[in-house]
Amino acid sequence: MERAGLIPVDLDYVGFYDKPFLKFERLLETYLSFAPSGYRSFVKAMPVWLGEKLHLSRLISKQLEGYEKRFIFTEHHESHAASSFFPSPFEEAAIMTLDGVGEWATATFGSGRGNRISLTHQLRFPHSLGLLYSAFTYFTGFKVNSGEYKLMGLAPYGEPKYADLILDQLIDLKEDGSFRMDLSYFNYCQGLTMTSRKMDQLFGRPARDPGSRLTQSDMDIAASIQRVTEDIVLRIAGHVHRETGMKNLCLAGGVALNCVANGRILREGPFDRIWIQPAAGDAGAALGVAQFIWHQLLDNPREPVETDSQRGSLLGPEFNNEEIRAFLDESEAVYEFCSDEASFCERVAHYMAEGKVVGWMQGGMEFGPRALSSRSIVGDPRNPEMRKKMNLKIKFRESFRPFAPSVLQEHTSEYFEIEASQDSPYMLLVAPVRDDKRRIGQEDLEGLNKLNAVRSEVPAITHVDYSARLHTVDATRNPRYYRLIQAFKEITGCPVIINTSFNVRGEPIVCTPTDAYRCFMGTNMDVLAIGDYLLLKESQPESQRVDQSEYLVQFELD
């Protein structure tokens, strides 16, 4: 509202992406079904609901003083569906939404045409693909609702030896992708944990303590639930295609962030094209309810844009050179101003080619959980030591975590097994590295030892299963970032760079110049490229250095 120059009385509608009373109904029915079990969870949840969540209109009104018009509450999966279809490049498309749970629905499908969406089928709580995956996230020692991507990254280190066990004991999977879960193995309906002791007995071990070392068992369990998840998603996609007869597919919901499953839908599924909301989780649902009001309720026309209308998802705050310079001067930072963009990008590309790690802050911040060229840490993917350096000395995170490549759109199919016409601008598709770019060897390594093998010409972005989470870059969505990779290609011959989010473990992605400089000074990053300013670590005053121990202590504890 500040950016748009609006005050609350200027607003016509305020939307929220849930129906609170329907969700409360589901909670009450669930607790009653399991009573007296679940009393501790009930006592913990009820004060929050009775005090706040059932009175959202009142809470929102307090923050929007002067607003006295209508509030719109859409169903949760309706919001997800709107967020996936309305910004998509399609005039019509099938829609799939998959997450933990909204009010009652945990998955839905339907279709979108023009400025209308319609959801026709749903899977209902407590049977949920998102909650199934989160239960295994918990069981392998990661944090629910934030560690699922770690589970996905861990999966290639293991073998899916428990996939049949999961299908035999935990879920009853149908041909159309619908399923029922054996709830005796789970505890999320009535307890404060995701899994029960029966799950411990099934796998012959308890849930991993988050402070303990990862074992081969954890890796095999991760590989198994990832395989089952992919198979379920593929079955659902096939059923949706048969039911709708449409050639395009739109995806949203937290499960749509599983880019390995998305890649399989693209390669093996029946749809010609797919489009995934970049902020596929609940943040994107907020965007969805706004678009639902605009198009579906107010009947405003929708004109699909060939690339999509998400604008690269670079929808967040941005800072001009004057604002950046004021901060740098106030901080007594040592910097160089470079107004010529070609020269600026060439300088940064040379630093990368020399093995330096660069913090890159340009333009509007990314909306969603992926770094998409505005708040990124970038480096040379050809350097086999770069992944270890970035993980342990800059990101302060687990060594098994892979890094994503940013690749010039027109060169994508030269390095990765993907159609030249298919883009992945939001880093939501995984594709294999091409055979002619691979280096075969050390195939007998197991577990985390797989990290020691150099697997391709771009080893720093090649995961242990020869895959990569693609970020394709074009001159329309990301013009300056595109020129940076072009400059790197001219110097090295390689049209690919490493791209990871500009933050350290446990902190949000940087937003402001203050955030960027603090992260730069608190890590072993070498260069900061912010606006038209270049900063070298070696030139910065000692007084501005940040004590890394706060990051390192947390890293060691975790």
Side-chain angles (χ1 to χ4, degrees), residues 38 484 490 496 524:
L484 171 67
E490 290 172 6
V496 183
N524 292 307

Side-chain angles (χ1 to χ4, degrees), residues 90-378:
F90 310 133
E91 175 61 32
E92 62 176 27
I95 301 171
M96 281 171 52
T97 67
L98 306 163
D99 69 1
V101 61
E103 295 83 10
W104 281 102
T106 61
T108 68
F109 79 81
S111 60
R113 291 180 176 85
N115 66 348
R116 289 284 186 275
I117 61 169
S118 173
L119 297 179
T120 55
H121 296 73
Q122 66 176 238
L123 185 69
R124 287 169 65 89
F125 182 87
H127 310 289
S128 164
L129 184 56
L131 291 175
L132 176 67
Y133 203 83
S134 291
F136 279 90
T137 300
Y138 165 83
F139 195 69
T140 49
F142 300 116
K143 189 175 180 181
V144 173
N145 291 332
S146 66
E148 283 77 5
Y149 60 94
K150 297 181 183 180
L151 185 67
M152 182 178 67
L154 184 64
Y157 293 92
E159 297 296 329
K161 58 177 60 176
Y162 301 112
D164 289 341
L165 183 68
I166 293 170
L167 291 169
D168 290 342
Q169 300 293 324
L170 300 185
I171 65 173
D172 177 17
L173 177 62
K174 306 301 183 184
E175 282 302 314
D176 63 1
S178 64
F179 59 89
R180 294 183 64 82
M181 299 165 65
D182 184 338
L183 297 177
S184 63
Y185 291 95
F186 303 92
N187 201 37
Y188 57 77
C189 286
Q190 73 275 28
L192 299 176
T193 61
M194 292 296 294
T195 59
S196 71
R197 291 181 180 177
K198 192 173 178 181
M199 182 79 86
D200 301 352
Q201 295 168 358
L202 182 67
F203 286 97
R205 45 155 284 187
R208 181 177 78 91
D209 185 332
S212 64
R213 289 189 178 275
L214 288 164
T215 66
Q216 189 62 48
S217 171
D218 297 310
M219 299 172 204
D220 293 338
I221 290 172
S224 301
I225 189 58
Q226 178 63 34
R227 173 69 61 81
V228 169
T229 298
E230 293 169 23
D231 290 346
I232 292 173
V233 169
L234 278 170
R235 286 196 189 191
I236 296 174
H239 179 68
V240 170
H241 183 263
R242 289 189 295 272
E243 289 290 310
T244 65
M246 291 186 168
K247 62 181 181 179
N248 302 316
L249 174 67
C250 293
L251 288 165
V255 177
L257 292 172
N258 193 308
C259 47
V260 180
N262 296 341
R264 286 194 64 189
I265 293 176
L266 183 64
R267 293 190 303 275
E268 304 172 36
F271 291 96
D272 294 346
R273 296 176 66 191
I274 67 174
W275 193 86
I276 308 150
Q277 166 56 235
D282 288 356
L287 174 65
V289 66
Q291 293 182 313
F292 185 89
I293 294 169
W294 181 251
H295 291 299
Q296 190 118 340
L297 297 187
L298 301 180
D299 199 29
N300 285 295
R302 169 181 171 268
E303 295 293 335
V305 178
E306 178 56 32
T307 51
D308 66 50
S309 60
Q310 191 87 7
R311 304 181 192 174
S313 212
L314 306 179
L315 306 178
E318 57 184 302
F319 301 86
N320 60 37
N321 278 332
E322 290 72 24
E323 293 170 311
I324 295 169
R325 183 167 191 153
F327 163 76
L328 294 176
D329 287 341
E330 182 183 350
S331 303
E332 299 180 346
V334 178
Y335 58 82
E336 181 181 348
F337 180 70
C338 184
S339 60
D340 180 72
E341 184 168 79
S343 176
F344 181 87
C345 291
E346 186 177 346
R347 289 273 303 280
V348 175
H350 271 291
Y351 287 132
M352 292 164 60
E354 293 168 2
K356 290 182 168 57
V357 178
V358 179
W360 177 267
M361 176 178 166
Q362 306 289 331
M365 186 180 176
E366 294 88 342
F367 175 55
R370 306 286 188 239
L372 300 173
S373 80
S374 282
R375 305 291 190 275
S376 292
I377 299 173
V378 294

Side-chain angles (χ1 to χ4, degrees), residues 426-447:
Y426 303 119
M427 208 183 293
L428 288 169
L429 295 172
V430 163
V433 174
R434 283 176 57 97
D435 288 345
D436 59 342
K437 301 297 182 184
R438 296 183 183 187
R439 294 181 183 174
I440 307 300
Q442 298 178 291
E443 301 301 308
D444 56 339
L445 296 176
E446 295 183 352

Side-chain angles (χ1 to χ4, degrees), residues 381-387 433 435 437-443 445 448-466:
R382 304 168 304 157
N383 186 339
E385 298 299 317
M386 190 58 69
R387 173 163 56 183
V433 174
D435 288 345
K437 301 297 182 184
R438 296 183 183 187
R439 294 181 183 174
I440 307 300
Q442 298 178 291
E443 301 301 308
L445 296 176
L448 295 182
N449 288 327
K450 292 180 179 180
L451 280 169
N452 298 325
V454 176
R455 289 188 155 73
S456 77
E457 293 181 10
V458 280
I461 56 85
T462 302
H463 207 9
V464 295
D465 59 352
Y466 295 99

Side-chain angles (χ1 to χ4, degrees), residues 22-68:
L22 270 181
K23 182 170 282 191
F24 188 62
E25 173 191 86
R26 187 251 301 166
L27 287 173
L28 286 180
E29 285 197 26
T30 302
Y31 283 128
L32 286 171
S33 297
F34 285 87
S37 177
Y39 178 74
R40 286 176 60 206
S41 176
F42 177 82
V43 169
K44 186 175 181 179
M46 283 305 105
V48 179
W49 272 93
L50 296 175
E52 295 181 7
K53 293 186 177 182
L54 285 177
H55 307 284
L56 279 176
S57 297
R58 186 172 66 196
L59 283 174
I60 296 170
S61 294
K62 287 181 179 179
Q63 300 299 319
L64 296 174
E65 187 175 350
Y67 179 78
E68 298 179 351

